[in-house]
């Protein structure tokens, strides 16, 4: 979709939004057209990543998008409020042509929220616009439809005088990329249909709201389970019917059970993963400083940092006999810092992050056998699973995009083939005027492939992006319009050498009676 082709979509947007003269209160109508043009192998990373999967690697792509939303925010003083949203795009050179990006209804009672459908959920405890991304519950893949209950804002625990507050969420959903998996694999490599997804997260805040120093702790987890897995070995297909009974949903919530066909070596049922979070915030009149850490885990070895290693020998090789444990080191992590300068305009937010994912409990995996009782779990193979499609949706990883998404693969495998790396990430933003906002992002990454498919030598990549957004003032005839322009560059073998530009035009109208 070249830039010169935008005239027709712009006319459609104007017609869609200008035609409304009366509507329900607290309702917003928006329409958007985007075009991306790239020279190279793929769309540059930061023009593609962390956009809730509404993006494409194709070097010439774009979409027209329309959304109607009814927000509960304007009913913040009411105990009971309702909201809904419909968000649809017609795309060019995407994984599908018609995309139902969001379609949901929700209700809030006091502070609790119930959401049914697919909705883009915000990333927690990070700057979503400047961070490289969350490691488990990120914004890189399309949202899947499901049922979600949440306490989205901190609730102060009674009796603590505001010094302890909690929030969290829990959901069950289902992936919608069955046909994409079949097409991508050409039914020659592993794929899974009708995969169920469970997520949960909980956060604690120690310190009153707006106090000088606050400590936040979080745990985020995800699980893929159920569905029908198709596996291939030398051209022979094996179909595995995974458990979808009520017990499977319980095992997704509390890791237990085992997958079909595991034999003597039983792991927990489904693909479990998650991360720990810790953030310390310092709030001053001139600035807000946050320092945070994020540790990702794929199974119990990196979640608990120890594993039982006291099995017997001979006929007792699979029995617990001794009080002996294997301890793992804490090496894989994201370390970050953000400083928000409250009195500055040209540069008012800076984020720096360091990500290390090379360890993965070690390079060697060994399970107990009749002749060798030692047991330790390495080669965690982040974001991958031997039965389920891995932590991805429609080819984009559902966590941090620096773990290279399956869409980049040329071997028809739905797998994250490059998940061991070291990366540095720096981003900043500013708002010189009330209408103009910009952000700059720069990332350097040194990749080692995976333990299963290591690279012959380390591969280095750099990713750069500059983006500016201009919202026309209220006094302008174009007051409902926003223009966003970006240019980005990739250099290296990880994602290819790419240079791209992206232009987004958006028209938004509040249909609230009090705003018209």
């Amino acid at each position: 979709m070249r830039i010169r082709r935008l005239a027709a979509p712009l006319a459609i947007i104007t017609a869609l939004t200008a035609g409304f003269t009366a509507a329900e209160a607290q309702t917003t109508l928006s329409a958007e057209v985007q075009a991306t043009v790239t020279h190279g192998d793929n769309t540059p990373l930061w023009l593609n990543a962390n956009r809730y999967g509404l993006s494409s690697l194709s070097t010439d792509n774009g979409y027209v998008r329309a959304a109607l939303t009814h927000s509960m925010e304007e009913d913040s003083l009411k105990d009971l409020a309702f909201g809904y949203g419909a968000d649809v795009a017609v795309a060019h050179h995407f994984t599908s042509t018609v995309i139902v990006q969001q379609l949901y209804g929700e209700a809030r009672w006091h502070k609790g929220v119930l959401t049914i459908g697919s909705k883009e959920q915000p990333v927690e405890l990070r700057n979503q616009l400047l961070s490289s991304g969350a490691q488990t519950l990120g914004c890189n893949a399309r949202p899947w439809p499901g049922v979600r209950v949440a306490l989205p804002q901190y609730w102060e625990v009674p009796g603590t005088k505001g010094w302890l507050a909690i929030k969290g969420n829990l959901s069950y959903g289902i992936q919608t990329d069955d046909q994409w998996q079949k097409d991508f694999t050409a039914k020659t490599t592993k794929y899974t249909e009708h995969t169920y997804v469970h997520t949960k997260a909980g956060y604690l805040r120690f310190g009153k709201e707006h106090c000088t120093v606050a400590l936040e702790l979080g745990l985020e987890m995800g699980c893929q389970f159920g569905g029908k897995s198709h596996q291939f070995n030398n051209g022979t297909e094996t179909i595995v019917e995974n458990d979808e009974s009520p017990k499977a949903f319980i095992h997704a919530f509390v890791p237990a059970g085992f997958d079909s066909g595991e034999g003597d070596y039983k792991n927990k049922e489904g693909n479990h993963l998650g991360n720990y979070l810790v953030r310390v915030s310092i709030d001053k009149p001139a600035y807000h400083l946050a320092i945070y850490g994020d540790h990702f885990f794929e199974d119990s070895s990196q979640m608990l940092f120890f594993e039982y290693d006291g099995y017997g020998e001979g006929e007792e090789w699979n029995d617990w006999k001794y009080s002996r444990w294997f301890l793992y080191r804490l090496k894989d992590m994201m370390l970050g810092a953000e400083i928000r300068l409250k009195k500055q305009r040209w540069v008012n937010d800076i984020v720096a992050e360091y990500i290390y994912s090379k360890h993965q409990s070690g390079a060697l995996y060994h399970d107990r056998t009749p002749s060798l009782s030692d047991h330790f779990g390495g080669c965690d193979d982040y974001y991958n699973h031997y039965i389920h499609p891995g932590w991805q949706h429609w080819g984009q990883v559902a966590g941090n995009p620096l773990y290279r998404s399956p869409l980049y693969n040329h071997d028809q495998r739905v797998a994250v083939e490059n998940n061991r790396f070291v990366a540095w990430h720096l981003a900043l933003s500013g708002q010189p005027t009330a209408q103009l906002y910009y952000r700059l992002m720069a990332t350097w990454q040194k990749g080692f492939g995976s333990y299963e498919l290591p690279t012959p030598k380390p591969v280095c990549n750099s990713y750069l992006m500059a983006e500016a957004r201009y919202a026309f003032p209220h006094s302008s005839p174009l007051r409902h319009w926003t223009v966003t322009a970006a240019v980005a560059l990739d250099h290296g073998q990880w994602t290819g050498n790419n240079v791209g530009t992206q232009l987004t035009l958006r028209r938004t109208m509040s249909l609230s009676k009090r705003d018209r």
Side-chain angles (χ1 to χ4, degrees):
M1 182 181 289
R2 300 291 179 180
I3 302 300
R4 64 175 178 269
R5 299 181 187 174
L6 294 179
L10 287 179
I12 295 173
I13 287 177
T14 302
L16 281 173
T17 55
F20 281 81
T21 57
E24 296 177 0
Q26 303 116 26
T27 304
T28 299
L29 176 68
S30 65
E32 178 177 296
V33 58
Q34 182 181 99
T36 304
V37 179
T38 301
H39 176 73
D41 301 316
N42 302 289
T43 299
L45 179 73
W46 294 128
L47 295 185
N48 166 71
N50 289 339
R51 298 166 189 263
Y52 291 101
L54 192 60
S55 57
S56 172
L57 293 186
S58 298
T59 54
D60 180 10
N61 68 79
Y63 63 77
V64 176
R65 179 182 188 183
L68 180 68
T69 59
H70 183 92
S71 175
M72 297 184 295
E73 296 300 320
E74 296 185 42
D75 291 333
S76 59
L77 299 179
K78 298 180 180 179
D79 292 338
L80 180 64
F82 299 94
Y84 58 81
D87 182 1
V88 180
V90 178
H92 174 66
H93 285 171
F94 276 47
T95 51
S96 54
T97 301
V98 179
I99 301 170
V100 181
Q101 182 70 5
Q102 300 182 88
L103 185 62
Y104 64 89
E106 56 185 350
R108 175 181 55 77
W109 185 64
H110 292 280
K111 291 183 176 293
V113 175
L114 169 67
T115 304
I116 300 176
S118 56
K119 183 183 180 183
E120 297 174 351
Q121 299 294 345
V123 171
E124 296 284 354
L125 304 189
R126 303 170 187 82
N127 185 316
Q128 186 164 320
L129 288 175
L130 299 183
S131 172
S132 64
Q135 298 208 85
T136 302
L137 306 181
C139 59
N140 190 58
R142 290 191 204 175
W144 43 69
V147 178
R148 185 178 192 262
V149 292
L151 190 65
Q153 305 298 326
Y154 277 117
W155 172 71
E156 296 179 355
V157 178
T160 65
K161 297 182 179 180
W163 286 97
L164 176 61
I166 62 173
K167 67 178 179 178
N169 57 77
L170 182 150
S171 75
Y172 283 94
I174 188 169
Q175 294 190 198
T176 61
D177 60 351
D178 294 358
Q179 189 60 49
W180 174 84
Q181 289 189 55
K182 294 177 184 178
D183 295 340
F184 188 78
T185 63
K187 298 183 180 181
T188 58
T189 62
K190 174 179 68 70
Y191 68 93
T192 304
E193 301 177 274
H194 317 308
T195 304
Y196 288 102
V197 184
H198 165 64
T199 66
K200 53 182 171 286
Y203 310 90
L204 296 173
R205 187 192 71 204
F206 298 91
K208 290 185 177 181
E209 187 177 8
H210 307 306
C211 69
T212 302
V213 180
L215 169 66
E216 293 170 279
L217 304 176
L219 172 63
E220 301 174 337
M221 295 186 68
C223 176
Q224 294 168 299
F225 66 102
K228 180 188 295 185
S229 297
H230 299 254
Q231 302 176 1
F232 299 85
N233 185 16
N234 296 325
T236 301
E237 180 181 10
T238 301
I239 298 178
V240 179
E241 297 278 359
N242 300 308
D243 187 16
E244 296 181 354
S245 69
K247 185 183 294 184
F249 285 77
I250 296 173
H251 290 169
F253 178 70
V254 180
F258 56 90
D259 288 310
S260 301
E262 285 193 316
D264 292 326
Y265 302 112
K266 292 181 172 59
N267 297 294
K268 299 297 184 287
E269 182 179 351
N271 177 30
H272 293 267
L273 66 159
N275 63 283
Y276 294 112
L277 282 164
V278 57
R279 183 173 75 168
V280 177
S281 302
I282 301 174
D283 193 46
K284 295 287 187 177
Y287 66 88
H288 180 94
L289 174 65
I291 300 172
Y292 53 92
D294 180 338
H295 169 65
F296 181 76
F297 55 85
E298 184 72 33
D299 55 26
S300 60
S301 59
Q302 283 296 293
M303 180 181 184
L304 303 175
F305 300 109
F306 66 87
E307 198 142 37
Y308 183 76
D309 191 29
Y311 292 94
E313 298 178 350
E315 295 182 355
E316 298 178 318
W317 68 276
N318 210 15
D319 299 330
W320 288 33
K321 300 295 294 183
Y322 311 106
S323 179
R324 187 171 65 183
W325 303 84
F326 186 88
L327 300 181
Y328 296 91
R329 291 182 293 174
L330 171 60
K331 296 188 68 175
D332 294 340
M333 65 184 69
M334 171 193 286
L335 299 176
E338 177 186 5
I339 183 167
R340 189 169 70 249
L341 305 172
K342 300 180 181 179
K343 299 182 179 181
Q344 303 299 320
R345 302 185 70 175
W346 284 93
V347 178
N348 58 23
D349 214 337
I350 304 172
V351 169
E353 293 176 342
Y354 167 77
I355 306 103
Y356 184 100
S357 70
K358 288 174 57 181
H359 182 50
Q360 303 192 18
S361 299
L364 182 64
Y365 176 85
H366 190 279
D367 226 324
R368 68 273 186 190
T369 68
S371 59
L372 184 62
S373 61
D374 288 330
H375 168 78
F376 39 90
C379 300
D380 285 346
D381 204 10
Y382 290 167
Y383 287 15
N384 290 318
H385 194 263
Y386 72 105
I387 293 178
H388 297 284
W391 199 238
Q392 65 81 43
H393 194 214
W394 287 89
Q396 296 275 24
V397 297
N400 190 296
L402 295 180
Y403 296 85
R404 202 183 73 176
S405 292
L407 273 181
Y408 288 94
N409 297 345
H410 298 289
D411 57 4
Q412 299 177 309
R413 297 177 68 231
V414 182
V416 179
E417 297 182 348
N418 296 280
N419 55 24
R420 299 182 62 243
F421 62 87
V422 179
W424 290 89
H425 173 77
L426 178 65
L428 59 89
S429 66
Q431 193 164 2
T433 70
Q435 284 73 47
L436 180 62
Y437 167 87
Y438 78 89
R439 60 173 176 157
L440 305 174
M441 301 178 71
T443 309
W444 178 85
Q445 184 177 32
K446 187 175 184 179
F448 300 84
S450 65
Y451 281 130
E452 180 186 6
L453 295 172
T455 56
K457 60 180 181 179
V459 176
C460 294
N461 248 71
S462 299
Y463 317 106
L464 303 172
M465 187 191 73
E467 180 183 82
R469 182 180 71 235
Y470 183 79
F472 287 89
H474 291 292
S475 59
S476 168
L478 301 176
R479 60 186 179 276
H480 299 303
W481 288 89
T482 301
V483 180
T484 304
V487 59
L489 166 72
D490 292 353
H491 180 72
Q493 296 176 321
W494 198 266
T495 59
N497 296 320
N498 314 297
V499 179
T501 58
Q502 188 175 86
L503 179 64
T504 307
L505 303 176
R506 181 180 178 87
R507 180 181 170 93
T508 303
M509 290 185 62
S510 173
L511 304 181
S512 300
K513 294 179 181 179
R514 65 187 181 190
D515 293 335
R516 285 190 282 110

